[in-house]
Structure formats: structure tokens, C-alpha cells
Amino acid sequence: VLAGIGQWESRRLDSQRRGEALKGRVAAEIGPFLGRRATRRLLDPVSSGGENLLCTIEPVLAHFLGEKAASELVSHVVDAIVRT
Amino acid sequence: VHRRLALHRLPGLRDLEFSRGCSTFILVLTVGYLAAGLLAAAAWRITHNDAWFIEFFNLPGAALLVTLAGLELALSLRVAAEFSPGQWMRTAWRLIALSALCDLIGALASQIFGTESPFNLLRIFYPPPFVAAMTRDFGLVVGGPFRFAFLAAGLFWSLRVYRRAGFLGRLAAVDWAVLAMVFAYIIDEAWGLFQALEAGKQPAPAEIMGWPVDPLLWVLLLEALLLYRSVRETGVGWIGRCWGAFSIGIALITLGDVAIWATNYGYLPWPWSSLGWYVWMPAAGAFAIAPAYQLEAIHQARSARERTPWAAELR
């Protein structure tokens, strides 16, 4: 039972770390556009698995940069995540 | 304006490559002019010859204001074209472009065609003096209340975007104090006007058209402070620089307006009152640099993939 709990705990921490790394990568890409604090606030509700990442950041970027530029930037963000 | 002028389709403005260095150009131009203006002021003080100073504002100063207004118009139209129909920022930038058009018409009428400037080609027709005065008044009205009304409407839409994104800042106590002081100044001015009207003053139509300027400036100051607080709240980014530049431009215009009031009421005697003239150059620079910053941000976003090390593989 203890070994199981340990594995579960380590998987949970791993997923948390991956989530933080993912957010850090995204923040590095969109931070220069929105500003550091706005980016942090925007990425706050993003889950550690990043399932709601794109639907969270794209509308906000589109508001400020236009849909074409936001779509290009989001594609770049996805490339950056896939590469790392 | 957008469809008729189609400035964003000019060959140089079609792609976004030109936006690189646009803000640097505007910054260098404005700072260079300011430095030249200060040299002219120094020459005036040393030689005691007013011509140094007055000719600087009549010729290069006027040319700078017209150039910067033209740049603001072209760049704002280009930015508006980057947003899709229905997007709030498209409305905001179209209204800002209208404001820039009013600024350009106002600058041309009040700085060139309503003066004895050598740039004034209408002088070859020897128009009677009242034509120049009317042109100047027309320029002041279009470049004053009309320009500020469109700008206030444009900034209102941009603030709605900030609010929708959840990035709208809150006014600090010092902002409320500044707004209260400017409000008191407007009330004082309105009271003075009321008394003058009671005493039988007959205002000219151009003067009446200029009455909304100060209330509009108060609205603009409120918007500028909200934008400034929002930009501080988000942390300075490429987008924030654009709206921050608008805040600086509006703050400088308010300062210029207060300098005019202080001069008229004798609080700022000559030659110190002339210092107020310098405010309009950086203000015009700030309004022109704002859309340049926004275009640079859009360009950076659209070329982000090309700038990455693995761009070649993606192609």
C-alpha cells in the first residue's frame, strides 16, 4: 500500500512539475506581448495537463493582436511546446 | 475613411516588414526636433533675436506636427486592418484613425494654411486676411474637439477590451486627486465663461465650438489614467507600450492646455510661457509612436515562427 501511495504521489508531483514547465514555456513565448503579470494571471486557470491552454490564451491574444497574428503566435507556442 | 483612403494598401504599408524600426524612427525624429528646438531657444536667449525661436516653430515645428499626424493616420489605419470585422479593437483603431485624420487636417489648417508660412501654397492667390483666420479657426476646431471626441471614443473601446480580458486596472488615490484638480479647473473656467456671458460677451462661433475641449480632455485624462494603471497591472509588454504611449500623449496635451490657461491668466509670463510650446512636439510623437508599437507587436507575433531555430524544418 505504501509503495502504491509513493508511486501515486510521485506521478502527481511529476504531472505538477510538467504543468509548471509547460506554463513556463508558454509564458516565455507570450510574456513579451502581454506583460509578465498579465501572462501569469492568464495562465493561472490552465490545468497542469494543459488541456484548456489554447482556448485560454488564443481569445485574449486575438483581442489585442488580431485573429491572424494570434493564430500565428499560438501555432508558434504549440511548436515550442512540442519541441521541448 | 478606411475604405476611401485605403492607406494600408500603399505599397510600403502592405506587408508588416516596414513596421520594424518605425517606432525608433519616430522617437529619433521627435527627440532630434526637441533638441533642435532647445538649441533655437538657446540662440534666442544669447542673441536676443526672437526670430530664432519663432521661425523654428513656424517652419520645422509645423512640418513635424503635420508629419507626425500623417504617420499616426497611416499607421492607425494599418493597425485597424489587422483586426477582423466585429473585433472591438478594430472599432477602437478606426476611431483612433479618425482622430488622427482630424489631427492632420487641424495641423495643416492651423499650422500651414492659416499662417504666413512659406509652406502655405495658398499665399500665391493673395487671399484676404480673414481667409487665413477662418482657416486657422477651422483647423483648431477640427484638431481640437473633433479630434479629442474620436480619440476618447477609440480609447473607450480599447478599455472595454482590457476589461473583457480581465486586465483593467484601478485608479489610485493620486489619480483621483489629479482628476479632481482638473475637474475643479474646468468648473472654474466654466464659471468664468458664465460670468463673461452674463456681462454681455458675444463669443464667436469658433470659440463656442472650442468649449467642449476641456471636458473632453478630462474624459481623455480619465481614460489615460485607466490605461496607465492597466498597463502597470499587466507588466510592460509590447502591447502595453502602445497604450502607455497614448497615456503619455494625453498627459502632455493636458499639461499644454494648463500652460495655455496659465499664460492667459498671467501666471506664466513671457518668455517662460514659450516653454509650453515644446509640449506639443513630444505629445504628437507619443500619438504617432503608439500605433507603431502596436504594429511592431503584431509583426513580432506573425513572424514568431520564422524567428525560431527550427523554422527551416517547419518549411
Side-chain angles (χ1 to χ4, degrees):
Chain A
V1 169
L2 282 174
I5 291 171
Q7 275 174 2
W8 174 81
E9 184 67 16
S10 119
R11 267 203 304 274
R12 194 179 63 86
L13 286 174
D14 261 8
S15 136
Q16 225 169 35
R17 266 197 294 272
R18 268 203 305 275
E20 287 310 311
L22 172 79
K23 284 186 188 182
R25 191 77 192 86
V26 175
E29 298 299 336
I30 66 170
F33 292 90
L34 294 176
R36 215 185 311 157
R37 279 191 289 274
T39 305
R40 204 181 307 138
R41 201 186 308 165
L42 182 66
L43 292 176
D44 240 10
V46 172
S47 61
S48 54
E51 292 85 2
N52 57 344
L53 174 70
L54 299 186
C55 64
T56 305
I57 64 169
E58 188 157 9
V60 174
L61 289 172
H63 281 325
F64 288 103
L65 295 168
E67 283 165 0
K68 279 177 274 182
S71 149
E72 296 264 357
L73 183 58
V74 168
S75 301
H76 166 70
V77 169
V78 172
D79 289 342
I81 294 166
V82 170
R83 289 274 152 179
T84 46
Chain B
V1 172
H2 197 262
R3 225 170 287 140
R4 292 263 166 89
L5 293 179
L7 283 178
H8 63 284
R9 290 198 200 105
L10 285 174
L13 297 179
R14 221 176 276 153
D15 59 41
L16 282 170
E17 269 303 309
F18 80 94
S19 71
R20 270 193 201 170
C22 215
S23 59
T24 314
F25 169 72
I26 293 169
L27 198 67
V28 168
L29 186 70
T30 311
V31 171
Y33 261 82
L34 263 180
L38 291 174
L39 282 177
W44 163 51
R45 296 303 293 164
I46 293 164
T47 61
H48 299 286
N49 181 2
D50 287 3
W52 278 102
F53 189 62
I54 290 166
E55 287 308 312
F56 172 78
F57 281 98
N58 278 348
L59 291 169
L64 176 76
L65 293 182
V66 171
T67 307
L68 289 175
L71 273 172
E72 187 194 348
L73 173 62
L75 295 173
S76 303
L77 286 171
R78 188 64 187 81
V79 172
E82 283 298 315
F83 290 92
S84 314
Q87 280 199 287
W88 287 359
M89 273 298 186
R90 187 180 171 95
T91 312
W93 280 105
R94 284 182 157 198
L95 287 163
I96 290 168
L98 265 175
S99 149
L101 178 66
C102 290
D103 187 23
L104 178 62
I105 294 170
L108 281 170
S110 63
Q111 303 284 334
I112 309 279
F113 296 116
T115 64
E116 292 292 307
S117 163
F119 296 138
N120 183 0
L121 299 177
L122 297 180
R123 286 195 317 161
I124 55 173
F125 301 115
Y126 296 105
F130 78 87
V131 173
M134 270 176 63
T135 310
R136 203 168 40 248
D137 286 347
F138 168 76
L140 291 174
V141 169
V142 174
F146 281 90
R147 176 195 176 195
F148 295 145
F150 284 126
L151 185 62
L155 295 186
F156 169 75
W157 280 93
S158 71
L159 282 167
R160 285 190 76 184
V161 173
Y162 263 95
R163 191 171 176 210
R164 188 187 242 188
F167 299 151
L168 188 64
R170 279 185 177 188
L171 293 180
V174 63
D175 303 336
W176 286 112
V178 169
L179 285 169
M181 273 197 302
V182 178
F183 191 74
Y185 156 65
I186 291 170
I187 296 293
D188 179 58
E189 205 180 38
W191 176 243
L193 178 68
F194 176 74
Q195 283 178 320
L197 290 173
E198 284 278 290
K201 178 185 162 67
Q202 299 280 324
E207 196 184 335
I208 296 171
M209 296 284 279
W211 286 347
V213 164
D214 287 331
L216 278 169
L217 273 180
W218 187 84
V219 173
L220 280 171
L221 190 63
L222 168 70
E223 291 177 330
L225 288 168
L226 273 171
L227 278 173
Y228 171 71
R229 291 293 162 199
S230 306
V231 171
R232 278 199 64 173
E233 186 100 351
T234 56
V236 180
W238 284 324
I239 296 161
R241 282 195 312 179
C242 157
W243 302 106
F246 275 120
S247 301
I248 291 170
I250 292 166
L252 288 171
I253 281 190
T254 311
L255 199 66
D257 194 50
V258 172
I260 291 173
W261 168 80
T263 306
N264 289 344
Y265 282 80
Y267 297 122
L268 204 59
W270 180 262
W272 300 109
S273 58
S274 60
L275 288 175
W277 300 3
Y278 285 98
V279 166
W280 305 105
M281 284 193 280
F287 284 115
I289 215 168
Y293 279 148
Q294 176 71 41
L295 264 188
E296 278 178 8
I298 293 170
H299 175 64
Q300 294 283 348
R302 290 185 69 171
S303 60
R305 289 181 100 180
E306 290 157 25
R307 284 182 284 108
T308 49
W310 58 82
E313 287 174 43
L314 290 170
R315 275 197 290 272

